[in-house]
Amino acid sequence: MERRVVITAESAITPIGHGKKNIFSNLVNGVSGVKNIKKEDDLLAKYLHSKVFGIIDYEIAYDFSRKFTKTLGPVSYYACQVAKEVIEQADLDQELLSSGRVGIAFGSTHGSPTVQRNIYEAFFDPERKGYARINATDYLKSMAHTTAVNITRMFGITGRVIASCTACTTGSQSIGYGYEAIKYGLQDAMICGAADEYDTTTIAVFDNLLACSTAYNDRPHMTPRPFDVKRDGLVVGEGAGAVLLEEYEHARRRGATILAEVVGFSCSNNGGDLILPNADGVKRTIRMGLENARLNPGDVGFISAHATSTKVGDIVEAQAIHAEYGEGPLVTGLKSYIGHTMSSCGVIETIFTLYMLQEGVIVPTLNLEEIDPRCNMIQHVTSMKEMDVSIASIQNFAFGGVNTSLFIKKWI
Amino acid sequence: MTREEIIDKILELLKDEFEIVNPDLDDNLTEKYEFDSIDAIALLEYVEDFIASPLTQEEKKQAMEIRSINHICDFIEDVLKKRK
């Protein structure tokens, strides 16, 4: 038996704001959340060639008691806040949250790197005095599944736990696996999302691969530039997002406000290289997603491309979209507004796409001034379009050769 | 170090680090204040700083049975005696 799955709440903390009103305003006004990296970071900042980052530079009013904060690293503060907001928005009561029928699918790239650095200090202390300070709290704050289980602890969630940590496909896998858990009757609702905190380790990884943007350090808002002829690499960012997925009848019986429907998901691996973009893998994932959603390529009106702004990645993605969809759907690279928020990019881009479906507006790829001829076979959005799109796809790809394709439908 | 000095220090720690204010010395910290195993481990780190001596694994295991402030004080007094 297959059941319909709908989105009944959303929340995002992003470099262009927190909450729909703030975020959507910045999207339609073309505001970039990319800034210079924090100068006071004395760890790696001075060695990096890339000096730009999608930064959350505003205060977030957390209201968590010490009982819960003692196991939260920075990444879990973000995660618990967006989870709290979707629970409140959807008006989920404690009885339901603790019924075993509500689960969590939430991840991060690698837990909390800030807390992990504190742990590693013991390794470099010749007398190992810090050894005794490596304790359970540090582990709970920094472990790979820290976001998922801190959310379950804070809100008394007793259903299944899925804690993907597949880098840039973490958030999209969370939604996809949450969707499958409800679709096949294993759960009635799932809180799905991902979060990543400010961290220069990730920049260093891409910087050393020559994949980070370096030419716009003096004009951060001009990068990243998906599909643009002058793009010079990705910009790492931080952020978090969560959506509440719910079985349709369950949502209807509760009187919940339905925001959109999740109609399909696919995930596959390239089965080979762990880094290089792979057109066959992307094309296969799109085909699998369309089949799963029971859609024809012509049904899809908008694609949120992964589009990290790397030289090769954008070309491969544009060609794959063209091969499977032709010139039909509009395509925007939403990382142009916020940088690459790593694990959370899939869920944040899904939420941005949801806003556009709701408001009847498709925003352009920021900084796309001259389309690279090698990416020019698809319908890029270069200026804001007011139009009614029914079905959208969100594409994400990750180190390790992981590809995902998610399909959502406007709720009318 | 007198019993009173130990009590004052523990009360200060519980207030500043664990948000436990004006507890009774015989209150069961777990039942009344949700003081859990994570808190207990953290408290032992502060105790090590307080007595300026690392605790042995055996002493830490014993400390896991502690439930009240009076028990904590008894534990610290015993440890200090052993260190003399």
Side-chain angles (χ1 to χ4, degrees):
Chain A
M1 183 186 67
E2 292 186 4
R3 311 192 302 170
R4 292 176 74 184
V5 181
V6 293
I7 301 174
T8 52
E10 54 73 26
S11 170
I13 295 171
T14 80
I16 57 167
H18 178 189
K20 181 180 175 181
K21 189 178 173 189
N22 192 204
I23 292 169
F24 189 69
S25 167
N26 285 326
L27 281 173
V28 296
N29 287 303
V31 175
S32 167
V34 176
K35 312 266 171 62
N36 281 119
I37 57 175
K38 297 176 185 176
K39 288 196 175 80
E40 67 269 25
D41 174 0
D42 61 358
L43 295 162
L44 291 171
K46 66 183 174 186
Y47 305 105
L48 299 168
H49 300 91
S50 181
K51 306 286 188 191
V52 288
F53 199 91
I55 291 181
I56 291 167
D57 60 355
Y58 49 86
E59 291 294 316
I60 297 165
Y62 297 113
D63 184 24
F64 305 141
S65 72
R66 186 194 167 274
K67 177 184 174 185
F68 299 115
T69 59
K70 65 191 176 191
T71 55
L72 303 184
V75 69
S76 293
Y77 270 90
Y78 284 163
C80 288
Q81 184 64 28
V82 291
K84 178 174 184 264
E85 289 171 11
V86 298
I87 289 168
E88 288 173 353
Q89 196 183 114
D91 200 20
L92 296 187
D93 62 31
Q94 195 58 57
E95 188 183 352
L96 178 58
L97 286 169
S98 300
S99 67
R101 296 298 297 170
V102 178
I104 181 90
F106 217 101
S108 59
T109 301
H110 40 82
S112 173
T114 306
V115 179
Q116 283 157 5
R117 275 196 290 274
N118 297 339
I119 294 172
Y120 294 147
E121 281 177 12
F123 288 78
F124 300 99
D125 166 12
E127 295 176 24
R128 300 288 191 271
K129 282 181 182 168
Y131 163 74
R133 292 287 189 260
I134 301 174
N135 59 35
T137 312
D138 285 336
Y139 182 66
L140 295 168
K141 285 179 180 176
S142 66
M143 60 194 182
H145 58 314
T146 183
T147 56
V149 294
N150 270 295
I151 292 169
T152 61
R153 177 168 184 259
M154 191 175 284
F155 302 105
I157 294 167
T158 56
R160 58 176 40 204
V161 176
I162 301 169
S164 293
C165 57
T166 56
C168 321
T169 47
T170 301
S172 53
Q173 280 194 331
S174 292
I175 299 174
Y177 295 153
Y179 160 72
E180 290 172 349
I182 298 168
K183 182 178 180 177
Y184 297 114
L186 303 172
Q187 299 279 262
D188 293 329
M190 292 286 290
I191 296 170
C192 306
D196 262 326
E197 67 193 45
Y198 180 87
D199 177 40
T200 47
T201 316
T202 319
I203 311 178
V205 170
F206 289 105
D207 210 47
N208 285 325
L209 281 168
L210 308 177
C212 266
S213 174
T214 57
Y216 300 91
N217 288 340
D218 57 341
R219 298 157 288 165
H221 65 285
M222 300 287 284
T223 190
R225 311 171 63 84
F227 305 115
D228 187 83
V229 74
K230 289 180 182 164
R231 71 188 182 281
D232 74 324
L234 62 84
V235 173
V236 179
E238 62 181 323
V243 291
L244 179 72
L245 302 188
E246 210 169 334
E247 192 268 323
Y248 167 65
E249 289 296 340
H250 187 271
R252 200 181 56 79
R253 278 197 304 274
R254 285 199 319 113
T257 302
I258 296 174
L259 309 179
E261 181 172 5
V262 180
V263 293
F265 172 72
S266 65
C267 175
S268 76
N269 196 272
N270 294 331
D273 195 279
L274 299 184
I275 294 178
L276 291 176
N278 183 311
D280 289 338
V282 175
K283 286 188 278 189
R284 186 171 59 251
T285 307
I286 292 171
R287 287 196 299 274
M288 288 165 57
L290 287 167
E291 187 182 344
N292 182 263
R294 299 188 177 102
L295 293 171
N296 294 311
D299 298 329
V300 178
F302 172 74
I303 293 173
S304 164
H306 188 60
T308 60
S309 293
T310 58
K311 291 283 182 196
V312 180
D314 286 10
I315 297 170
V316 166
E317 185 171 12
Q319 291 176 346
I321 290 171
H322 183 257
E324 299 304 324
Y325 289 103
E327 293 172 18
L330 298 171
V331 178
T332 298
L334 292 166
K335 290 181 180 67
S336 56
Y337 292 82
I338 56 175
H340 190 338
T341 57
M342 295 289 131
S343 74
S344 59
C345 73
V347 62
I348 288 175
E349 287 156 19
T350 299
I351 292 170
F352 285 8
T353 301
L354 170 64
Y355 293 163
M356 290 190 283
L357 296 191
Q358 287 179 313
E359 301 302 324
V361 168
I362 300 296
V363 299
T365 299
L366 211 57
N367 300 319
L368 180 52
E369 294 172 329
E370 184 182 350
I371 300 168
D372 184 334
R374 295 167 296 178
C375 304
N376 203 11
M377 67 293 289
I378 54 175
Q379 198 179 160
H380 291 284
V381 184
T382 55
S383 61
M384 200 165 75
K385 292 185 185 302
E386 287 187 17
M387 61 186 300
D388 198 32
V389 170
S390 174
I391 294 170
S393 176
I394 298 92
Q395 304 191 159
N396 294 105
F397 319 121
F399 262 22
V402 187
N403 309 304
T404 63
S405 189
L406 183 72
F407 294 82
I408 64 171
K409 185 176 182 182
K410 178 176 179 167
W411 192 259
I412 303 169
Chain B
M1 196 180 301
T2 67
R3 178 87 177 184
E4 285 67 33
E5 286 171 332
I6 296 172
I7 290 171
D8 287 347
K9 184 65 187 173
I10 296 300
L11 288 174
E12 182 189 328
L13 272 173
L14 290 175
K15 177 169 171 279
D16 293 347
E17 307 297 337
F18 300 91
E19 296 175 2
I20 296 175
V21 183
N22 296 325
D24 191 275
L25 299 187
D26 287 314
D27 279 345
N28 184 315
L29 296 173
T30 307
E31 287 176 5
K32 191 160 180 184
Y33 298 100
E34 298 181 309
F35 190 88
D36 59 18
S37 59
I38 295 167
D39 293 318
I41 296 287
L43 178 67
L44 289 183
E45 288 181 15
Y46 293 116
V47 168
E48 286 180 317
D49 289 340
F50 175 40
I51 66 173
S53 174
L55 297 168
T56 65
Q57 290 290 87
E58 206 49 49
E59 286 167 339
K60 286 179 182 175
K61 281 180 193 169
Q62 287 168 18
M64 287 296 110
E65 304 301 318
I66 288 171
R67 291 290 175 269
S68 71
I69 293 169
N70 269 330
H71 286 156
I72 298 169
C73 294
D74 293 343
F75 170 77
I76 293 174
E77 283 181 335
D78 284 348
V79 169
L80 287 172
K81 264 185 213 163
K82 279 195 236 164
R83 299 287 191 277
K84 275 185 182 170

